[in-house]
Amino acid sequence: MTSLDAWLTLTAAPGVGPRTCARLIAHFGSPDAVVAARAGALAELGLRPDAVTAIKQPNRDWLGAVLAWAAQPDAYILARDDPRYPPLLAEIPDPPILLYVRGDPHLLAEPQVAIVGSRNPTPTGREITRDFASRLAAGGLVITSGLATGIDGAAHAGALKNGKTIAVLGTGPDQVYPACHRDLARQIAEQGALVSEFAPGEGPRASNFPRRNRIISGLSLGVLVTEAALRSGSLITARQAGEQGREVFAVPGSIRNSLARGCHALIRDGAHLVEDPAEVLAELSPLLRRAMADGVIDRRIDAADVGGDAAGSGLDPDYQRLLAALGFDPVAPDVLIRETGLPAEAVSSMLLVLELEGHVSSGAGGCYCRVRE
């Protein structure tokens, strides 16, 4: 039995979830050692009889079917010991044992912001979501969501206009739920990644989606809720994000809009109130720098992501024009857009690059100023 076979065998054992799996591996030393252990030794650690049987007598047909799925082009299985397993996700209390990926597995370790919300948003909610996703993606962030109807779909579609997106599934990686997002899922697999902790063949179950939500927040530096009712599952994702030490953002709305109440509740509980994508970028930039320094994300956001060269002293003309419009007193992005004539999404991404390079500093209200040399 190979190591991947051992990992798969553990995930298939009833009652063996992420925490139990981690405990078994810590005790025996490796997944291979767990499946090679005596049945009695496994029972002594509290495993149920049916779990012991599943480990000692794995379903070979099921293993063969899963490995056949992984043999397809652009299909991957990432175990916790795989170097491509996203380090940020590995930090949460119960990281998935395996990740099934369709698309680019390296994208999972890039800096991400999750966007979630109502399955039945207002037209304004959809528009705001697409705008935030598009502009944040242009700023170099990967947009992560859950492929649901409504806000999730709008977030994926907006991100694909200017960058990359990841869809975290509540089904196996070979399933698309809801079916109306089949074309969107295909586009995400081609330009981003579909990811799931559920094996091929697993259909949508109600219990799968709360588990999916912890992955959405766990992959991300922060979670943005654009429109949600008080009982929305998006609030569960936001709560999990807070428990995982991630930033939580919410877009305010009309007091007469029931789909704004969830966002207002988050803001009352301490979420960042945001009205512009630049405010999200400003709040996340310190986390990005820390993650880069700690090696928690694979790469730094640099000018190559947004079409320029902001490294060191080699600023291109647009960056020089933006810096020239900045003084040592805080300036709002709207003022910079007006004075430079640059597009709003370009200014947002360029300010993030300049801040990461140490040329500018963000302050209260999403304003920026130059850093004195």
Side-chain angles (χ1 to χ4, degrees), residues 272-290:
H272 299 284
L273 185 159
V274 293
E275 300 172 311
D276 188 275
E279 296 168 341
V280 177
L281 291 169
E283 289 291 341
L284 289 182
S285 58
L287 291 176
L288 282 166
R289 285 197 298 271
R290 191 178 313 129

Side-chain angles (χ1 to χ4, degrees), residues 142-161:
V142 176
I143 305 302
T144 300
S145 197
L147 199 65
T149 55
I151 294 298
D152 288 16
H156 292 306
L160 288 169
K161 291 181 179 179

Side-chain angles (χ1 to χ4, degrees), residues 162-302:
N162 286 315
K164 303 290 187 179
T165 186
I166 293 170
V168 184
L169 310 179
T171 65
D174 58 338
Q175 310 285 314
V176 176
Y177 179 82
C180 63
H181 278 169
R182 192 171 303 279
D183 289 342
L184 178 61
R186 182 163 50 248
Q187 189 177 4
I188 293 171
E190 292 171 354
Q191 297 179 231
L194 302 172
V195 60
S196 177
E197 70 174 319
F198 304 107
E202 175 80 11
R205 298 181 184 179
S207 60
N208 289 355
F209 293 93
R211 292 177 62 185
R212 173 204 64 180
N213 292 347
R214 86 187 194 287
I215 300 175
I216 292 174
S217 55
L219 284 167
S220 307
L221 293 166
V223 172
L224 168 66
V225 182
T226 54
E227 197 172 61
L230 279 173
R231 294 185 179 274
S232 171
S234 304
L235 301 194
I236 298 174
T237 308
R239 188 194 72 238
Q240 291 173 326
E243 293 170 352
Q244 293 167 351
R246 311 305 195 241
E247 296 293 328
V248 180
F249 306 93
V251 176
S254 168
I255 60 172
R256 291 184 170 82
N257 178 9
S258 62
L259 293 179
R261 291 176 184 167
C263 293
H264 293 167
L266 290 173
I267 292 166
R268 282 195 296 272
D269 290 341
H272 299 284
L273 185 159
V274 293
E275 300 172 311
D276 188 275
E279 296 168 341
V280 177
L281 291 169
E283 289 291 341
L284 289 182
S285 58
L287 291 176
L288 282 166
R289 285 197 298 271
R290 191 178 313 129
M292 291 169 190
D294 294 343
V296 176
I297 56 179
D298 267 0
R299 65 169 180 83
R300 57 189 298 282
I301 294 180
D302 57 28

